[in-house]
Amino acid sequence: DRENWIKANEKLEWTRRSLAKPSRKASRETNNSLASGLLRCATCNCNYYYKNQKTKGGLTYYHVQTIDRCTQKPAQVQIKYFDTILDVFFTFYYLVFDDTADRLRQMKLEVRKNSDVMNRQLKELEKQRKQAQKGIDNINEMVTQGLFNDNKDAFVEAMSSRADFRKQVETLTNEIRLKNLEIEENSKKDSELTRDEKYQLGTIERIQKWFELREKNSYTELRIMLKEVLFDGFITIDGNCIEIMSGDPARTFYFDVRHDYNIIYPFIEK
């Protein structure tokens, strides 16, 4: 499931980092970049990795060459442009396109609607049981007062009615017990959805955390957050087109790698 998938990726990322040898700080080191190894070529399916080209473009994501030279162009993408694309993607995914919170709220409405129906049904069952019990009490009172002493047939009929009322009370008591169990299960669902909803309602906090980590260049944590959004999705480059497929809900985002995108964070925060 998604939760365990995210936990597993988080653990793998930290394990990889702890086992990394200090002498192997090569150009592919993901600690130095946000998307190294996550961007792949649409032509040959190979990945792009962080590389400091120095005089040949500066910091870039560079296409790893295969045995058969890939025809994909461009072979490198400037990091500052591509990372900003990821800023845009992450922001709008949570701010606009992630409908998980809406779905949770809809589920909560259904659960609470069911709760109202079940509570009305419970009250009706309790009312019927009360009426049946009242019938038993009335017959017992009539017997105590001796109203059937001189009428054997009326007494037999009253005893038959009392037996019917007792069966009704027994049946209704069982139905009330089952209805209370339904209400209890429904209440548990409501609590679980409330907890999930509180998690989802942290949209603004999640976006704030993203930009705070971006300022600190905390790439390991950023990559975990990015993978959480991608889930089983992917990022590919085909010519100058960047395609980002998010996981759940499935959405496809397209960007032009030649365009210098800008995120005005204070505006988003408002």
Side-chain angles (χ1 to χ4, degrees):
D1 59 61
R2 178 170 180 159
E3 183 180 354
N4 285 328
W5 186 91
I6 292 166
K7 287 180 180 178
N9 273 271
E10 183 176 7
K11 188 172 182 179
L12 285 169
E13 185 72 26
W14 283 105
T15 302
R16 182 204 59 75
R17 191 177 185 186
S18 64
L19 295 176
K21 296 180 180 179
S23 60
R24 295 185 60 192
K25 291 197 174 182
S27 59
R28 298 185 186 182
E29 180 55 63
T30 56
N31 286 344
N32 296 328
S33 64
L34 175 56
S36 189
L38 299 179
L39 175 63
R40 72 187 187 191
C41 175
T43 303
C44 69
N45 213 34
C46 287
N47 294 332
Y48 282 66
Y49 288 94
Y50 166 87
K51 188 171 185 180
N52 189 346
Q53 298 279 66
K54 296 183 180 178
T55 58
K56 296 182 180 180
L59 300 178
T60 65
Y61 292 115
Y62 187 77
H63 188 306
V64 174
Q65 297 299 328
T66 56
I67 296 174
D68 296 323
R69 189 173 181 85
C70 180
T71 58
Q72 169 74 280
K73 298 292 183 181
Q76 63 185 37
V77 181
Q78 286 196 14
I79 281 181
K80 63 178 181 178
Y81 291 151
F82 186 73
D83 284 3
T84 305
I85 286 175
L86 293 181
D87 289 339
V88 177
F89 162 70
F90 186 89
T91 301
F92 280 91
Y93 172 83
Y94 275 114
L95 205 60
V96 181
F97 294 105
D98 182 11
D99 62 356
T100 311
D102 291 333
R103 285 186 281 124
L104 284 171
R105 280 193 288 272
Q106 186 62 38
M107 290 168 67
K108 279 178 69 67
L109 287 174
E110 290 296 325
V111 167
R112 290 180 178 179
K113 182 180 178 181
N114 291 338
S115 179
D116 291 339
V117 170
M118 286 187 284
N119 281 321
R120 285 197 297 270
Q121 291 172 341
L122 178 62
K123 286 182 179 179
E124 181 61 29
L125 289 171
E126 289 174 338
K127 180 181 177 182
Q128 292 175 15
R129 184 175 67 174
K130 188 176 181 180
Q131 290 173 345
Q133 184 61 49
K134 187 176 181 181
I136 294 172
D137 295 340
N138 287 339
I139 292 172
N140 289 337
E141 182 65 22
M142 293 168 71
V143 171
T144 301
Q145 292 177 3
L147 298 181
F148 301 116
N149 291 346
D150 300 326
N151 193 334
K152 183 179 179 180
D153 291 338
F155 177 75
V156 171
E157 185 177 347
M159 291 302 100
S160 177
S161 296
R162 188 174 69 174
D164 290 339
F165 281 133
R166 282 178 173 170
K167 286 182 180 178
Q168 286 183 37
V169 169
E170 185 179 344
T171 301
L172 289 166
T173 298
N174 189 49
E175 289 181 12
I176 288 170
R177 182 182 65 82
L178 293 174
K179 188 59 63 177
N180 277 318
L181 287 174
E182 283 185 52
I183 291 172
E184 185 179 345
E185 286 299 315
N186 198 67
S187 179
K188 288 179 181 178
K189 287 182 182 178
D190 188 44
S191 299
E192 290 171 1
L193 287 170
T194 299
R195 185 179 65 248
D196 293 341
E197 191 175 43
K198 286 180 179 178
Y199 172 77
Q200 286 296 332
L201 288 177
T203 297
I204 298 300
E205 288 80 1
R206 192 172 284 109
I207 294 172
Q208 287 175 334
K209 182 179 179 182
W210 174 269
F211 283 98
E212 287 171 2
L213 293 172
R214 288 282 280 125
E215 289 179 4
K216 297 176 183 176
N217 294 326
S218 301
Y219 293 117
T220 298
E221 294 177 72
L222 283 165
R223 289 169 65 86
I224 290 169
M225 293 180 73
L226 182 58
K227 287 177 181 179
E228 182 178 349
V229 176
L230 294 174
F231 189 32
D232 55 354
F234 50 82
I235 308 174
T236 59
I237 181 169
D238 187 1
N240 292 308
C241 179
I242 300 289
E243 178 182 341
I244 305 178
M245 172 69 78
S246 65
D248 179 25
R251 304 279 185 182
T252 306
F253 297 73
Y254 296 97
F255 298 90
D256 186 340
V257 74
R258 296 166 299 182
H259 183 71
D260 185 8
Y261 293 90
N262 286 297
I263 275 287
I264 306 172
Y265 178 66
F267 172 76
I268 296 169
E269 191 172 22
K270 290 179 183 180

